[in-house]
Amino acid sequence: CDWSRHRGVGAIAPTSTHRVNEAHVLAAQADISELPQIPDASTAILKSSWSPEVVDAMAAKCADLLISLGGHAPEQHTIPGSLELPFAAQCLIESKASPLDAVICFGVVLKGATLHFEMVSHAVTQGLLDVSLRTSTPILNEVLAVVDLNDAAERSRDDHYNKGIEAAAAAARII
């Protein structure tokens, strides 16, 4: 893997194994004041077409933050469903003449009465990881696996707990 093309890798802070209470985690997620600038970063956002009110709200917050940090406006594509995100990410990455600095994927998988939820959630997560490793491109997975659509709505509100902000922050830290 050529980590030299990812500008922020040297600035990644070491992780700690000690337990942190939820209030500290939420406070850290909400604090974007110390994020690195990502001048001219090239990113893309892939969105599942399911639950568009949730997915679009997360993608909008993500794009706004990436632009405010100096990146180009992310190219955005809507994909039929979350299961198609790994294939779409690979096609997008391979089609670019210049490499993308990161791809951010948004979707919602809602648990029903069958095992479809588990199958899709696992396949999407493994597929995105495989594509990321195969292409040496950071792919951020914000496919929300929820048992109640209200849980997804809570993570896409127009506030600092929106998962789109978390995804953009993670992208900025790894680019």
Side-chain angles (χ1 to χ4, degrees):
C1 177
D2 180 11
W3 281 103
S4 63
R5 74 180 184 107
H6 301 291
R7 296 174 265 175
V9 169
I12 294 177
T15 59
S16 172
T17 57
H18 73 280
R19 295 179 64 104
V20 179
N21 73 37
E22 189 174 342
H24 289 124
V25 171
L26 293 175
Q29 289 175 342
D31 184 14
I32 58 172
S33 63
E34 296 182 21
L35 289 175
Q37 290 294 302
I38 52 170
D40 299 322
S42 177
T43 58
I45 292 175
L46 298 177
K47 306 179 293 182
S48 167
S49 64
W50 290 89
S51 303
E53 64 286 347
V54 171
V55 171
D56 290 344
M58 291 187 296
K61 283 287 190 186
C62 181
D64 289 347
L65 182 54
L66 290 169
I67 293 167
S68 76
L69 294 172
H72 294 292
E75 180 178 328
Q76 296 193 37
H77 301 275
T78 301
I79 310 306
S82 292
L83 196 55
E84 292 78 26
L85 287 168
F87 177 72
Q90 181 168 325
C91 289
L92 183 63
I93 292 165
E94 290 175 350
S95 73
K96 294 295 179 190
S98 354
L100 287 166
D101 292 304
V103 176
I104 302 108
C105 297
F106 294 102
V108 176
V109 180
L110 183 62
K111 184 165 178 65
T114 68
L115 293 178
H116 185 73
F117 168 85
E118 286 83 358
M119 185 270 303
V120 171
S121 298
H122 176 75
V124 170
T125 301
Q126 189 62 52
L128 291 175
L129 175 62
D130 291 347
V131 172
S132 180
L133 294 173
R134 189 170 40 255
T135 62
S136 297
T137 303
I139 299 178
L140 295 108
N141 179 359
E142 285 297 344
V143 176
L144 305 179
V146 297
V147 295
D148 185 322
L149 200 50
N150 289 326
D151 294 334
E154 286 292 314
R155 290 160 179 80
S156 65
R157 292 187 313 203
D158 189 19
D159 62 22
H160 58 275
Y161 297 114
N162 184 302
K163 291 300 234 176
I165 296 171
E166 183 178 308
R173 288 182 177 111
I174 201 165
I175 290 176

